[in-house]
Amino acid sequence: MSLKRILVLDGVVAVCRFQDDGTILEGAGQLPAELQARLAHFAQWYRRMVSGNIDLFSLFSQIRGWTPAKGWVVHGSGMTVCNVANLVALVDNREARVNEIMAALEEASHQ
């Protein structure tokens, strides 16, 4: 699934694919290139933080199945950031169906 197929989903403002160091590989949407690059760096940083927290939780709780994390969602009052693997989408809460967007990101992450 290409980024443009994710971009046409209701509420998606921008979508980016990034490398493990946060460098943007490709982006699409209504954000200028500089803001897409900042979104990619944020997603990479946040993914690392979530991964570390989940690893600690798994270690201390002794409950299996938490790692690796498939993705994360940060929900704000007007916008939400959704991440799966090396894909991140910025969505408008008024229009977005987050479950649909996460499923599309999951599918695209395997291609």
Side-chain angles (χ1 to χ4, degrees):
M1 178 178 280
S2 73
L3 297 185
K4 292 187 189 229
R5 289 186 66 191
I6 296 170
L7 187 60
V8 299
L9 296 174
D10 289 341
V12 177
V13 175
V15 61
C16 303
R17 184 181 310 273
F18 57 93
Q19 294 180 352
D20 286 339
D21 66 356
T23 304
I24 191 169
L25 293 172
E26 61 180 317
Q30 300 172 15
L31 288 181
E34 178 187 335
L35 291 179
Q36 287 182 14
R38 289 172 63 186
L39 177 63
H41 278 284
F42 166 77
Q44 182 267 345
W45 170 82
Y46 203 86
R47 182 178 68 174
R48 290 183 65 181
M49 184 186 70
V50 166
S51 179
N53 287 341
I54 289 173
D55 287 344
L56 285 173
F57 176 76
S58 183
L59 176 71
F60 290 124
S61 70
Q62 296 296 305
I63 300 172
R64 300 171 78 92
W66 287 97
T67 59
K70 286 189 177 183
W72 50 263
V73 174
V74 175
H75 183 77
S77 62
M79 303 293 278
T80 295
V81 180
C82 302
N83 168 260
V84 173
N86 67 335
L87 295 168
V88 61
L90 179 66
V91 300
D92 184 333
N93 291 344
R94 294 173 296 182
E95 303 171 26
R97 288 180 268 183
V98 173
N99 289 340
E100 179 182 5
I101 293 165
M102 290 298 286
L105 290 170
E106 172 75 22
E107 180 182 335
S109 73
H110 295 292
Q111 296 176 358

